[in-house]
Amino acid sequence: MKRDDVVGALLRMDVRPSILEDFPALPADVEGLLIYGSQARRDAVPGSDLDVLALVTAQRPSTDSGYVHVSYYTREQLSTGIGTLFGAHLKRDAKIVWDKHGHLTRAVGDMGQVDTKRLLARAWSMSGLFTSLERDLPKYLSGLLRQARYLLRSCLYAQAIADGAPCFSVRELAVRHGDPYLARLLASRQPGEATAADLEQCLSRLHGIIGEFPPSEHGSLEATVVNEWGRPSDVLSMAFMALGTTGTTSDYAEVEKVLL
Amino acid sequence: MSAEIAFVGDIHGNLSALRGLCNVLAARGGPHAIFLGDYINRGAQSAEVLEELLAYSGSGRATLLRGNHEAALLDALDTGDLTAFLKMGGAMTIRSYVGAKVGPDVLSDFRARFPREHLDRIRRMPENYESNDFIAQHTQPSASTSKFRVSAHVAVGKLPRIEPQSAQLDTGCGADDGRLTALLWPSLDYVQVDARGTIVTD
């Protein structure tokens, strides 16, 4: 499907034309496309991103183009979303734009319920990433904060599901927890620079949900990446993403995605 | 001494493929080999690949151009910032030089085990090689030249992309299903080996 055909289909789905100006050209091996998140739910506010998932045959990194975020998944990668929050989000919100072979529709249909116990256990294993801060700050503050926010948000959602009152709104969770600062802490677009204070705020709340973090096996973020390389794991993927992005992405190595 | 020249694409840490290709070239009479860069990362034997290539070029039978992965390695060691190198898959290169589990201070471990000679030789690698008839470099030369352009860098699939005025030779070496390609000049024939170093003809 050509870019212009995709844009046309998205316009018919009421996505604002101003966002679609940034829609990137898609690789030739795309065989399915969906949108999810606020644009798919039609509760987007000005400044909301357009979240796009493209089904492809070859792994590649996600891209950001203006307000358009495109994540690329192979069928195998998408199957790891079964039982995750991500899968539950897709099942609830996704709108299929195009599905050449029907694989995307089937994959979304297979997502099922969130396994909250497994999610919290995985989050705990990944939290060891935050136990070598003396060595990793300030060089990797920005990436560590981004990953801490992701873990905290995921754990809060999982906790709400486990408590029998699912909620995927940070603002509503802030009210529920009597924690007004939470909404600002977890807002998807953060003004200004990452701060150690915000990281500390995220980690203290994460402690409250999953308990004491396991000590880092390798003593630093960089050592985790080097020693774990070639052995796909949540810890490696989280560490790799915490390195942040530098320069061109054309030569970035790929690690497995973390789908909580 | 053969009058033929062999241009060789990305190797990315695959020693078996390098040795296999060198055997194929030796059987053809040992053309002068111009390696187009990206000797390290991805595969498990970056240190050994570089060691063999430096010996090969030291004998005068090969020219080693610098690829962007070698440039990133130099940059990491010069600035002390490993981030971009790690994002490119530099972990495999660091492991191949350190040889064991790295400690928390990865940069110190890596610097301590990275031979001074390797550093000096990488620093001296030219970016391109030019004759009256062709220009070879890691990334694609500008199409503004009338000379034949040889490059690597961008994976083009299992087979090299050979056009009337250019050739691209990165055929995925460093991955399990990748191949290492040598383009022969002036015939524009090519030879390939698979990840195990076995010659392939399909």
Side-chain angles (χ1 to χ4, degrees):
Chain A
M1 198 175 192
K2 291 188 170 64
R3 177 194 178 276
D4 290 353
D5 297 331
V6 173
V7 168
L10 290 169
L11 284 169
R12 289 190 293 278
M13 294 166 88
D14 293 332
V15 176
R16 280 184 313 161
S18 59
I19 292 179
L20 295 173
E21 288 170 10
D22 294 317
F23 202 93
L26 293 167
D29 64 332
V30 172
E31 45 185 42
L33 209 69
L34 61 77
I35 59 171
Y36 62 100
S38 61
Q39 299 283 358
R41 291 193 302 270
R42 299 192 178 185
D43 61 6
V45 295
S48 292
D49 289 339
L50 173 65
D51 292 307
V52 181
L53 185 151
L55 186 67
V56 285
T57 54
Q59 286 187 37
R60 51 173 58 78
S62 303
T63 61
D64 284 293
S65 175
Y67 285 96
V68 182
H69 177 79
V70 186
S71 303
Y72 296 94
Y73 286 81
T74 61
R75 285 165 65 187
E76 189 182 356
Q77 285 176 315
L78 208 47
S79 72
T80 67
I82 295 170
T84 67
L85 283 165
F86 180 73
H89 275 149
L90 285 183
K91 192 162 188 170
R92 199 191 53 184
D93 295 339
K95 298 280 184 295
I96 305 283
V97 181
W98 174 61
D99 194 8
K100 188 176 179 181
H101 305 296
H103 296 321
L104 198 50
T105 307
R106 274 193 295 279
V108 172
D110 287 343
M111 287 303 177
Q113 297 301 306
V114 181
D115 183 342
T116 56
K117 195 177 282 190
R118 178 169 170 263
L119 186 154
L120 293 169
R122 288 174 68 199
W124 179 80
S125 76
M126 286 185 260
S127 66
L129 196 66
F130 306 108
T131 59
S132 52
L133 295 180
E134 282 173 31
R135 188 171 289 278
D136 297 329
L137 296 182
K139 188 175 177 187
Y140 294 117
L141 170 60
S142 173
L144 286 165
L145 178 56
R146 191 177 57 250
Q147 300 313 112
R149 283 192 167 113
Y150 172 64
L151 275 190
L152 176 58
R153 191 183 301 117
S154 302
C155 288
L156 285 164
Y157 293 163
Q159 194 180 42
I161 293 168
D163 291 345
C167 172
F168 296 104
S169 159
V170 169
R171 282 188 293 274
E172 190 182 324
L173 284 167
V175 173
R176 274 192 202 183
H177 287 265
D179 184 1
Y181 188 69
L182 193 62
R184 194 201 70 71
L185 191 63
L186 295 183
S188 56
R189 284 189 176 259
Q190 292 287 334
E193 295 287 299
T195 67
D198 275 356
L199 179 61
E200 186 51 45
Q201 292 285 344
C202 278
L203 297 183
S204 67
R205 286 166 174 79
L206 203 52
H207 270 297
I209 301 172
I210 61 177
E212 199 62 33
F213 302 163
S216 166
E217 189 184 333
H218 305 290
S220 74
L221 183 56
E222 290 179 347
T224 300
V225 171
V226 173
N227 291 329
E228 295 288 336
W229 196 261
R231 291 183 300 185
S233 69
D234 283 341
V235 171
L236 172 62
S237 297
M238 282 289 279
F240 190 71
M241 288 189 283
L243 292 173
T245 53
T246 55
T248 172
T249 59
S250 64
D251 268 306
Y252 277 4
E254 272 288 272
V255 294
E256 289 303 313
K257 294 175 187 287
V258 174
L259 298 183
L260 280 177
Chain B
M1 180 69 185
S2 165
E4 203 173 39
I5 289 175
F7 298 102
V8 184
D10 298 28
I11 299 168
H12 285 302
N14 186 329
L15 186 64
S16 300
L18 172 63
R19 286 178 173 170
L21 191 76
C22 287
N23 290 339
V24 174
L25 294 178
R28 291 183 66 96
H32 185 85
I34 298 171
F35 290 88
L36 297 167
D38 280 6
Y39 313 119
I40 57 170
N41 295 350
R42 299 189 193 154
Q45 293 176 294
S46 295
E48 295 86 347
V49 163
L50 212 43
E51 185 68 31
E52 295 212 2
L53 285 172
L54 293 175
Y56 196 0
S57 100
S59 71
R61 293 176 297 125
T63 300
L64 307 182
L65 304 184
R66 190 192 305 166
N68 63 308
H69 283 250
E70 287 76 42
L73 168 64
L74 272 187
D75 199 47
L77 291 171
D78 286 345
T79 64
D81 185 351
L82 287 173
T83 312
F85 188 58
L86 288 173
K87 292 294 284 190
M88 292 169 82
M92 288 305 276
T93 299
I94 294 170
R95 283 229 300 255
S96 81
Y97 277 95
V98 173
K101 196 172 168 179
V102 294
D105 189 346
V106 177
L107 183 68
S108 290
D109 284 8
F110 189 34
R111 277 182 166 155
R113 302 298 297 272
F114 198 82
R116 162 61 61 179
E117 192 209 357
H118 284 208
L119 192 59
D120 292 342
R121 296 281 297 278
I122 292 171
R123 210 182 289 288
R124 293 204 302 270
M125 283 175 187
E127 301 260 323
N128 54 45
Y129 185 105
E130 202 164 349
S131 77
N132 292 333
D133 305 308
F134 61 76
I135 175 167
Q137 64 184 43
H138 181 62
T139 54
Q140 251 190 314
S142 162
S144 60
T145 179
S146 59
K147 295 177 181 180
F148 191 82
R149 292 168 284 124
V150 190
S151 63
H153 184 53
V154 177
V156 291
K158 280 189 172 182
L159 301 178
R161 190 173 292 165
I162 302 169
E163 310 280 352
Q165 276 306 306
S166 67
Q168 291 175 270
L169 308 183
D170 180 359
T171 43
C173 189
D176 290 346
D177 59 349
R179 294 178 177 186
L180 181 59
T181 297
L183 176 78
L184 299 156
W185 178 270
S187 66
L188 299 190
D189 289 340
Y190 66 88
V191 291
Q192 291 188 301
V193 295
D194 63 17
R196 296 184 307 278
T198 307
I199 194 162
V200 283
T201 53
D202 60 326

